[in-house]
Amino acid sequence: MTVDGNRFASSRNAASGRSCRVTITRAEPNALTATVAATAPGAGTPGGSVEFFDGATSLSVVALSGGTATLNTSGLSVGTHSLTAVYLGGTNHTGSTSGAVSQVVNA
């Protein structure tokens, strides 16, 4: 199986207060990493969890560690996948959704 795609996407929650930005990147061929960072006027490292999606299908909920969460994508089927990460929010930060990253899995 080969995987094509090294693009990233990010989105910022427009809610006031301690909003966050979620960025997803291809860390290695079979891993997708979501990085959650506070945006001004927020501060600190967000805690909580990120839920990864393939289109509308939930793949997994992963706890943040140091503002990042990694998903193993080796189980994705052959084809094109539209992957997103949703930060579920934490005690001091609001939730946010990344933009989509396209991943192509070849046989």
Side-chain angles (χ1 to χ4, degrees):
M1 169 179 26
T2 60
V3 178
D4 298 327
N6 261 342
R7 294 180 289 233
F8 68 92
S10 68
S11 175
R12 188 172 77 180
N13 187 327
S16 62
R18 296 180 178 180
S19 63
C20 291
R21 181 186 70 232
V22 180
T23 303
I24 55 176
T25 57
R26 301 264 343 125
E28 51 189 72
N30 292 321
L32 187 68
T33 298
T35 303
V36 181
T39 58
T45 302
S49 298
V50 170
E51 187 168 7
F52 290 92
F53 287 88
D54 180 1
T57 303
S58 176
L59 298 174
S60 184
V61 175
V62 179
L64 286 169
S65 176
T68 64
T70 301
L71 175 71
N72 181 330
T73 58
S74 63
L76 291 176
S77 62
V78 171
T80 302
H81 302 271
S82 179
L83 304 172
T84 56
V86 176
Y87 171 53
L88 302 176
T91 304
N92 297 313
H93 299 92
T94 59
S96 186
T97 302
S98 75
V101 169
S102 180
Q103 178 174 333
V104 178
V105 178
N106 299 307

